[in-house]
Amino acid sequence: MQHFPIFLAVAGRRIVVAGGGETALAKLRLLRKTEAHLTVFAATPDAGVEALAAEGHIRLVRRAFGPGDALCAVLAYAAHDDAAEDARVAALARADGALVNIVDNLADSAFITPAIVDRDPVVVAIGTEGAAPVLARAIKADLETRLPPTLGLLARLGKAFRHAAEALPMGRRRRDFWADYYFNSGPQAIDKHGEMGANVALDLLLGHHLAAGDRVGHVDLVGAGPGDPDLLTLKARKALDTADVVIHDRLVTPQILELARREAILIDAGKEGFGAAMAQADINALIVRHGRAGAHVVRLKAGDPTVFGRLDEEIAACEAAGLSWRIVPGITAASAAVAAIGQSLTSRGRNSSLRTLTGHDTRGFAEHDWRALARPGEVAAIYMGKKTARFLQGRLLMHGADPATPVTVVENASRPDQRVLSVTLDRLEPALTDAALTGPAIIFYGLAPREALALSLPADPALTPLNEALS
Ligand code: SAH
């Protein structure tokens, strides 16, 4: 980040603008939203600038900007569209101690003016460090449609009510009250009865929350999906929005953790101390401890929590502790991985059943019905199979599987570093070891990437390097 976004206190302070043309006027339109004192220096101002002066919105000084004109000003804009004149103004204003912006000259400016979405007191500032003004405008347009026009009013009323809301204890109960107001009762009341309605709603809501007493904790067992934040369900997003504590697996990506409520406590249950995995009993105890303390706990698991997620043990712990719980499903790794190779997990005439296997279980390499799997047309999605590939390969071949059966390994499915390794059963090892995968991987037994897809992706870094290395 080359520019750090802040909100500058300008109410009652001076901002000077040098220039009286269209460029200056555009800046003045924005600056008029503030409570700053605006002074414009222009020898020959345009009619628009004259009009602002006539209406008393700005003080207009009908001469060129000179030494000392930016004294006590927090900001100074050089807005002449004339490089030499703007440079002269900038040097003088800097000497007066103001932060200087030369319009459309990023390099010589001390600050930039963002695109603004104004729902005062809620203000969204969008900046691209000059890289893509078109993008900033598109984001602004998007936010303008998404944020209701009443948001500002809601926030102003809320601000005036802050003192009253202190009757609720700080922390979770007060937060619940505000969440209820901003996202539920407040907008409804404004829609129906306007400002009066929102004020009444605040009073009623506070009474309601005061009467409700302490809330007990709750545990959401949430699927985080395979890694791409866009593959989170809306329910998972909402749970993350309101979580007090997020206890997550090692496989949950930072981009997803980023979405947790800013005040939430994040606990990595995949690691402890110097990297050893936290024991399941300790994770259960952690969930229960936070739940009992009244927290909304999100137990965030990679993929779908019901697939190889030791979910039953965590549910049993919640029930034993008398905590309410809910499962929020997620997209399992096999779904994301099969999408990456353009295939379907089941297919008419090929396989009418799908096996979901784990390469190893708590006792080591997992045994399966190898004879059944070895039959032609079988398809299996193998989780946690990287280290057990040689064992799987040996067992399957031993039970009569065709050595030419396609096997596809998808590493980091749905993530930017996704890679695909396509081989046959007899070549699975040492190919897999040679490929030295470092991320989580799904092994599809009985599935090859769709041919058309493989052909259409010769330049795709996700598909080529491994396959080339192996051919
Ligand atoms: N509950 C998870 C599975 C947990 S077991 C789910 O539904 O996906 C952990 C295994 O999941 C890993 O060893 C790997 O086999 C698989 N896995 C998880 N995320 C993956 C990803 N993004 N790409 C490929 N495999 C993944």
Side-chain angles (χ1 to χ4, degrees):
M1 225 191 265
Q2 292 176 7
H3 293 80
F4 183 64
I6 53 167
F7 287 88
L8 195 67
V10 296
R13 303 178 72 187
R14 287 187 82 213
I15 297 179
V16 298
V17 175
E22 198 41 54
T23 305
L25 195 58
K27 283 289 171 270
L28 287 169
R29 279 194 205 104
L30 270 185
L31 291 167
R32 269 195 58 197
K33 291 171 178 287
T34 72
E35 293 169 32
H37 295 304
L38 306 177
T39 307
V40 178
F41 294 88
T44 50
D46 279 5
V49 176
E50 288 282 8
L52 285 179
E55 288 160 19
H57 298 304
I58 59 168
R59 193 168 80 85
L60 180 58
V61 182
R62 287 185 183 74
R63 61 163 170 79
F65 186 92
D69 281 341
L71 279 173
C72 299
V74 271
L75 301 179
Y77 282 90
H80 292 95
D81 279 335
D82 171 337
E85 179 58 2
D86 280 343
R88 184 188 72 83
V89 168
L92 290 175
R94 260 184 234 118
D96 287 343
L99 279 176
V100 178
N101 174 275
I102 303 178
V103 178
D104 290 335
N105 178 348
L106 187 72
D108 297 327
S109 292
F111 68 94
I112 45 183
T113 315
I116 291 171
V117 180
D118 178 17
R119 300 287 186 277
D120 183 46
V122 179
V123 177
V124 184
I126 305 152
T128 61
E129 306 203 326
V134 175
L135 188 59
R137 274 196 292 278
I139 296 171
K140 174 176 154 68
D142 183 40
L143 288 175
E144 290 285 4
T145 56
R146 271 206 240 184
L147 300 179
T150 50
L151 189 72
L153 176 58
L154 218 52
R156 270 199 300 283
L157 297 176
K159 192 172 171 190
F161 200 75
R162 283 179 80 94
H163 187 63
E166 281 167 17
L168 285 164
M170 216 165 76
R172 180 179 174 80
R173 284 188 56 199
R174 211 182 287 170
R175 276 202 311 273
D176 283 352
F177 163 77
W178 286 119
D180 202 345
Y181 167 66
Y182 280 116
F183 303 112
N184 193 10
S185 327
Q188 280 176 24
I190 282 201
D191 278 354
K192 284 201 199 118
H193 309 291
E195 181 167 345
M196 263 297 274
N199 264 323
V200 174
L202 273 167
D203 278 327
L204 288 176
L205 198 63
L206 181 61
H208 176 72
H209 277 254
L210 281 170
D214 265 333
R215 281 185 47 178
V216 286
H218 170 80
V219 180
D220 280 333
L221 302 148
V222 179
D228 175 357
D230 279 353
L231 292 180
L232 276 171
T233 63
L234 285 176
K235 264 196 182 153
R237 280 295 303 253
K238 285 182 193 158
L240 283 171
D241 276 346
T242 54
D244 296 308
V245 180
V246 178
I247 302 173
H248 64 91
D249 279 352
R250 188 176 45 86
L251 285 180
V252 176
T253 54
Q255 292 79 355
I256 287 175
L257 294 175
E258 222 10 66
L259 300 171
R261 196 165 64 84
R262 207 169 55 164
E263 295 82 6
I265 303 170
L266 296 186
I267 302 173
D268 181 351
K271 276 198 212 114
E272 196 189 38
F274 295 98
M278 200 185 267
Q280 186 61 45
D282 292 338
I283 299 175
N284 297 349
L286 199 61
I287 296 173
V288 165
R289 180 150 55 81
H290 285 287
R292 280 215 173 117
H296 171 198
V297 180
V298 166
R299 171 68 176 115
L300 193 59
K301 291 165 167 293
D304 183 277
T306 71
V307 178
F308 303 127
R310 303 192 69 172
L311 190 67
D312 292 343
E313 293 156 73
E314 295 178 5
I315 290 176
C318 291
E319 299 215 305
L323 289 169
S324 64
W325 56 271
R326 164 181 83 141
I327 299 174
V328 178
I331 292 186
T332 191
S335 297
V338 83
I341 60 169
Q343 284 290 13
S344 174
L345 285 173
T346 60
S347 181
R348 239 145 96 95
R350 182 191 64 208
N351 67 312
S352 56
S353 74
L354 163 77
R355 288 163 200 265
T356 305
L357 314 178
T358 170
H360 64 83
D361 56 25
T362 47
R363 293 183 303 276
F365 291 168
E367 288 293 352
H368 298 283
D369 184 350
W370 304 112
R371 190 167 304 282
L373 261 175
R375 284 198 293 260
E378 287 294 322
V379 172
I382 303 164
Y383 288 70
M384 296 175 276
K386 259 188 331 190
K387 293 212 180 78
T388 59
R390 192 174 290 284
F391 170 78
L392 293 163
Q393 183 184 31
R395 281 286 196 275
L396 284 161
L397 289 173
M398 198 165 86
H399 285 84
D402 182 350
T405 308
V407 176
T408 307
V409 184
V410 184
E411 182 199 25
N412 293 319
S414 87
R415 304 181 188 178
D417 48 359
Q418 169 179 293
R419 292 198 295 174
V420 178
L421 164 63
S422 166
V423 287
T424 45
L425 181 60
D426 55 344
R427 293 173 64 210
L428 175 59
E429 283 294 6
L432 187 58
T433 304
D434 292 347
L437 307 186
T438 51
I442 285 285
I443 302 176
F444 285 122
Y445 168 74
L447 278 186
R450 188 177 295 274
E451 221 164 289
L453 187 79
L455 288 176
S456 73
L457 287 174
D460 188 332
L463 269 166
T464 40
L466 278 172
N467 289 337
E468 265 170 20
L470 292 163
S471 57

